[in-house]
Amino acid sequence: MERRIAGNLTTVESVDVARVWPHEVSILIQERTPVAVFDAGTGLQYVDATGARFGSLKRLPEDLPLIVGTADVDNLALNEAAAVVAALSPQVAGMVDRIEVATVDQIELRLRDGRVVRWGSAERSEDKAEVLLALMDQDAEVYDVSVPGRPTTR
């Protein structure tokens, strides 16, 4: 029963089915929580913090960032992009228009004001967000925080 529920409903993160004596069955379902929306050019899908895609949408909700990639973006790269989104502070997340992912190590944030942040991978995302906030006072078009100990601007 667990496999059938989890296999047929993509919005289900986990399911636990247990027999409750004498005549009942308990079914506990944990739904996936979307952290972003993924657009591979074939339609919009929710993405959870693990990078799992589920559901479909006709238009982008205002409260979730957009992850943009090609249809052939592998699951590992999407997992990294989802981890970046999940790690963003509310202050940084509010500045982001979209997240562009090409590979695991090529993730960029496109800010609402047109500036670009080269993020790299999801590794040390909390440090990268902190460094980015410190750099935002500098007038630049591109902020590279892929190595948070050696950020650059251009």
Side-chain angles (χ1 to χ4, degrees), residues 113-152:
D113 61 8
R115 295 182 286 178
V116 176
V117 180
R118 291 196 177 124
W119 200 266
S121 71
E123 187 177 336
R124 297 184 61 195
S125 284
E126 292 81 11
D127 294 338
K128 292 174 183 182
E130 188 176 316
V131 169
L132 176 61
L133 285 175
L135 288 176
M136 295 304 287
D137 291 337
Q138 296 185 24
D139 185 30
E141 293 178 20
V142 178
Y143 301 88
D144 189 334
V145 295
S146 58
V147 180
R150 293 185 174 195
T152 63

XYZ file of all heavy atoms in Angstrom, residues 113-152:
309
model
N 17.199 43.339 -9.977
C 17.702 44.584 -10.552
C 18.666 44.353 -11.721
O 19.294 45.281 -12.210
C 18.364 45.449 -9.473
C 19.559 44.782 -8.824
O 19.994 43.702 -9.285
O 20.079 45.345 -7.838
N 18.787 43.098 -12.180
C 19.615 42.792 -13.345
C 21.023 42.320 -13.016
O 21.729 41.841 -13.904
N 21.446 42.436 -11.781
C 22.786 41.976 -11.426
C 22.826 40.448 -11.375
O 21.795 39.790 -11.237
C 23.221 42.566 -10.082
C 23.355 44.090 -10.158
C 23.817 44.684 -8.858
N 22.717 44.665 -7.877
C 22.843 45.096 -6.636
N 23.994 45.571 -6.199
N 21.811 45.055 -5.812
N 24.042 39.919 -11.496
C 24.261 38.476 -11.550
C 25.163 38.065 -10.387
O 26.133 38.750 -10.081
C 24.928 38.066 -12.882
C 25.255 36.577 -12.914
C 24.050 38.452 -14.056
N 24.824 36.939 -9.775
C 25.660 36.369 -8.714
C 26.105 34.990 -9.167
O 25.277 34.110 -9.397
C 24.895 36.255 -7.380
C 25.802 35.646 -6.310
C 24.357 37.605 -6.944
N 27.413 34.818 -9.313
C 27.964 33.494 -9.644
C 28.123 32.741 -8.327
O 28.959 33.089 -7.505
C 29.293 33.635 -10.362
C 29.097 34.215 -11.736
C 30.281 34.023 -12.636
N 29.941 34.553 -13.937
C 30.647 35.483 -14.560
N 31.748 35.962 -14.014
N 30.256 35.926 -15.734
N 27.299 31.739 -8.148
C 27.216 31.017 -6.879
C 28.090 29.775 -6.865
O 28.606 29.384 -5.839
C 25.757 30.633 -6.629
C 25.454 30.322 -5.215
C 25.457 29.086 -4.617
C 25.087 31.245 -4.196
N 25.117 29.198 -3.299
C 24.878 30.519 -3.019
C 24.901 32.628 -4.171
C 24.499 31.117 -1.824
C 24.523 33.225 -2.995
C 24.335 32.475 -1.832
N 28.239 29.124 -8.006
C 28.973 27.860 -8.042
C 28.074 26.733 -7.588
O 26.926 26.631 -8.013
N 28.557 25.893 -6.683
C 27.767 24.781 -6.154
C 27.054 25.216 -4.874
O 27.208 26.347 -4.415
C 28.681 23.593 -5.855
O 29.493 23.886 -4.726
N 26.304 24.290 -4.287
C 25.583 24.590 -3.047
C 26.492 24.542 -1.821
O 26.082 24.969 -0.742
C 24.438 23.603 -2.863
N 27.702 24.066 -1.993
C 28.629 23.974 -0.868
C 28.877 25.352 -0.260
O 29.091 26.326 -0.984
C 29.954 23.376 -1.354
C 30.934 23.077 -0.250
C 32.199 22.417 -0.771
O 32.149 21.790 -1.839
O 33.226 22.540 -0.101
N 28.772 25.426 1.051
C 29.007 26.654 1.844
C 28.029 27.782 1.466
O 28.378 28.953 1.473
C 30.451 27.119 1.704
C 31.460 26.112 2.249
C 32.873 26.598 2.210
N 33.026 27.795 3.026
C 34.082 28.601 2.952
N 35.057 28.333 2.118
N 34.157 29.668 3.710
N 26.797 27.415 1.138
C 25.804 28.413 0.720
C 25.542 29.479 1.776
O 25.330 30.644 1.440
C 24.489 27.732 0.316
O 24.616 27.149 -0.945
N 25.549 29.101 3.060
C 25.315 30.096 4.111
C 26.420 31.142 4.107
O 26.161 32.338 4.231
C 25.211 29.423 5.494
C 23.981 28.559 5.669
C 24.123 27.164 5.066
O 25.244 26.759 4.673
O 23.088 26.472 4.960
N 27.679 30.694 3.936
C 28.808 31.626 3.862
C 28.687 32.523 2.628
O 28.953 33.720 2.687
C 30.133 30.865 3.807
C 30.432 30.093 5.072
O 29.872 30.440 6.138
O 31.226 29.134 5.007
N 28.295 31.934 1.523
C 28.163 32.694 0.280
C 27.094 33.776 0.415
O 27.282 34.908 -0.041
C 27.828 31.758 -0.885
C 28.969 30.821 -1.232
C 28.566 29.808 -2.287
C 29.688 28.841 -2.557
N 29.371 27.865 -3.596
N 25.978 33.450 1.064
C 24.911 34.437 1.256
C 25.397 35.588 2.131
O 25.098 36.754 1.859
C 23.684 33.769 1.877
N 26.166 35.277 3.156
C 26.706 36.311 4.049
C 27.691 37.219 3.310
O 27.645 38.442 3.431
C 27.391 35.633 5.236
C 27.823 36.580 6.319
C 28.401 35.833 7.509
O 27.821 34.817 7.931
O 29.455 36.289 8.010
N 28.571 36.612 2.518
C 29.539 37.386 1.731
C 28.814 38.251 0.704
O 29.157 39.414 0.511
C 30.556 36.436 1.045
C 31.392 37.177 0.016
C 31.447 35.785 2.092
N 27.795 37.702 0.069
C 27.033 38.463 -0.920
C 26.422 39.717 -0.302
O 26.502 40.798 -0.879
C 25.949 37.600 -1.550
C 25.030 38.313 -2.540
C 25.822 38.860 -3.721
C 23.928 37.379 -3.005
N 25.834 39.581 0.862
C 25.238 40.753 1.522
C 26.278 41.822 1.799
O 26.013 43.014 1.634
C 24.541 40.343 2.820
C 23.212 39.628 2.643
C 22.674 39.156 3.988
C 22.201 40.541 1.965
N 27.493 41.418 2.180
C 28.570 42.389 2.426
C 29.015 43.060 1.132
O 29.377 44.245 1.135
C 29.745 41.691 3.099
N 28.974 42.329 0.019
C 29.418 42.878 -1.271
C 28.381 43.779 -1.939
O 28.729 44.567 -2.820
C 29.750 41.744 -2.242
C 31.004 40.933 -1.996
C 31.101 39.808 -3.011
C 32.241 41.805 -2.043
N 27.127 43.657 -1.551
C 26.062 44.376 -2.246
C 26.211 45.892 -2.185
O 25.633 46.598 -3.010
C 24.692 43.966 -1.692
C 24.326 42.519 -1.936
S 24.352 42.017 -3.652
C 22.906 42.811 -4.269
N 26.998 46.397 -1.239
C 27.237 47.838 -1.165
C 28.118 48.324 -2.308
O 28.122 49.511 -2.632
C 27.892 48.204 0.171
C 26.938 48.014 1.330
O 25.708 48.037 1.100
O 27.416 47.833 2.467
N 28.878 47.425 -2.916
C 29.747 47.794 -4.030
C 28.946 47.828 -5.319
O 28.128 46.952 -5.578
C 30.899 46.801 -4.154
C 31.820 46.806 -2.969
C 33.000 45.890 -3.190
O 33.368 45.596 -4.327
N 33.609 45.437 -2.116
N 29.206 48.858 -6.117
C 28.529 48.992 -7.400
C 29.177 48.032 -8.391
O 30.320 48.224 -8.799
C 28.633 50.435 -7.899
C 27.833 50.652 -9.163
O 26.812 49.961 -9.344
O 28.228 51.518 -9.975
N 28.464 46.979 -8.748
C 28.989 45.975 -9.676
C 27.825 45.330 -10.416
O 26.675 45.382 -9.972
C 29.780 44.909 -8.919
N 28.140 44.734 -11.553
C 27.142 43.998 -12.323
C 27.178 42.511 -12.020
O 26.169 41.824 -12.143
C 27.372 44.213 -13.825
C 27.108 45.630 -14.277
C 27.384 45.816 -15.756
O 27.410 44.810 -16.499
O 27.568 46.965 -16.168
N 28.387 42.024 -11.651
C 28.566 40.607 -11.374
C 29.275 40.439 -10.033
O 30.291 41.077 -9.779
C 29.392 39.908 -12.484
C 29.626 38.444 -12.166
C 28.726 40.068 -13.835
N 28.707 39.584 -9.198
C 29.304 39.232 -7.914
C 29.618 37.745 -7.966
O 28.735 36.938 -8.246
C 28.329 39.500 -6.764
C 27.895 40.936 -6.682
C 26.797 41.384 -7.408
C 28.573 41.838 -5.885
C 26.391 42.706 -7.344
C 28.168 43.163 -5.807
C 27.079 43.589 -6.542
O 26.682 44.900 -6.482
N 30.868 37.390 -7.718
C 31.262 35.984 -7.741
C 31.578 35.557 -6.313
O 32.593 35.956 -5.742
C 32.478 35.784 -8.638
C 32.804 34.323 -8.871
O 32.455 33.483 -8.015
O 33.418 34.013 -9.905
N 30.677 34.755 -5.737
C 30.878 34.255 -4.377
C 31.089 32.738 -4.390
O 30.937 32.086 -3.360
C 29.699 34.639 -3.450
C 29.625 36.133 -3.268
C 28.383 34.073 -3.962
N 31.453 32.191 -5.544
C 31.630 30.741 -5.667
C 32.720 30.224 -4.723
O 32.655 29.087 -4.272
C 31.926 30.346 -7.111
O 33.087 31.009 -7.576
N 33.693 31.068 -4.423
C 34.690 30.781 -3.392
C 34.525 31.895 -2.370
O 35.074 32.989 -2.542
C 36.124 30.758 -3.966
C 37.142 30.460 -2.874
C 36.229 29.753 -5.107
N 33.736 31.666 -1.315
C 33.383 32.759 -0.414
C 34.573 33.412 0.287
O 34.491 34.587 0.676
C 32.427 32.113 0.597
C 32.575 30.656 0.437
C 33.113 30.403 -0.930
N 35.686 32.728 0.398
C 36.883 33.322 0.994
C 37.605 34.265 0.047
O 38.458 35.045 0.480
N 37.263 34.223 -1.229
C 37.890 35.074 -2.256
C 36.834 35.583 -3.234
O 36.853 35.271 -4.429
C 38.956 34.298 -3.019
C 40.132 33.944 -2.168
C 41.177 33.303 -3.009
N 42.352 33.103 -2.190
C 43.525 32.822 -2.671
N 43.683 32.686 -3.955
N 44.540 32.643 -1.867
N 35.900 36.379 -2.761
C 34.865 36.885 -3.672
C 35.428 37.937 -4.615
O 36.428 38.587 -4.307
C 33.848 37.503 -2.709
C 34.672 37.931 -1.554
C 35.759 36.893 -1.409
N 34.794 38.083 -5.748
C 35.175 39.112 -6.709
C 33.931 39.837 -7.222
O 32.831 39.309 -7.129
C 35.959 38.518 -7.911
O 35.085 37.608 -8.601
C 37.216 37.817 -7.473
